Amino acid sequence: MIIIYDSKTGNVERFVKKLNLECYRIVPQLKVSTSFILVTYTTGFGEVSRSTKDFLEANHVHLKGVASSGNRNWGVKFAKAADIIADTYKVPAIIKFELSGTEKDVAKFMLEVMNFV
């Protein structure tokens, strides 16, 4: 299972670097032809970033699950991008983590990824 990620401030990138998995950053025109889990961030007031939306429009067919970073200060909008993507594409929201995540978040994510292998 590969991990596709989108990072604005570096938090998501720091999270995925803690994983011992094959990870690719979203760049314009990225095409994925195999199953993947998306790790992204929440922007604005609980929204999915434009770059993540554009990527998913072209690649959602292979999406198996989603995780999102956020800041707990946003209350119910914390890591809301995971909920939006999960609802839109009918995939599970694997985990929501704050900023770049803790070791406990990484362990939980890895455990969840094993369910897709």
Side-chain angles (χ1 to χ4, degrees):
M1 182 67 59
I2 64 169
I3 306 300
I4 303 295
Y5 73 97
D6 201 2
S7 187
K8 180 178 181 181
T9 63
N11 285 325
V12 172
E13 185 167 30
R14 281 189 291 280
F15 179 82
V16 301
K17 285 187 175 185
K18 297 173 192 176
L19 308 172
N20 190 22
L21 298 170
E22 189 175 351
C23 302
Y24 300 94
R25 187 175 189 146
I26 291 176
V27 294
Q29 308 306 319
L30 176 64
K31 299 290 183 215
V32 179
S33 59
T34 189
S35 297
F36 68 92
I37 293 174
L38 175 69
V39 183
T40 190
Y41 62 96
T42 301
T43 192
F45 298 101
E47 300 163 8
V48 178
S49 72
R50 175 84 274 166
S51 53
T52 296
K53 284 181 183 178
D54 290 346
F55 170 77
L56 286 172
E57 285 175 13
N59 295 281
H60 68 274
V61 124
H62 300 291
L63 177 65
K64 298 300 177 195
V66 62
S68 181
S69 72
N71 187 312
R72 292 193 190 281
N73 291 337
W74 288 101
V76 297
K77 294 183 180 180
F78 165 68
K80 187 74 174 166
D83 297 327
I84 294 167
I85 293 167
D87 289 345
T88 301
Y89 296 103
K90 308 300 184 230
V91 297
I94 295 171
I95 186 175
K96 295 178 178 183
F97 57 93
E98 188 164 29
L99 304 174
S100 60
T102 63
E103 289 305 315
K104 185 177 177 180
D105 295 326
V106 170
K108 182 177 180 184
F109 180 85
M110 292 300 292
L111 193 65
E112 291 295 326
V113 167
M114 293 305 141
N115 292 326
F116 294 96
V117 179

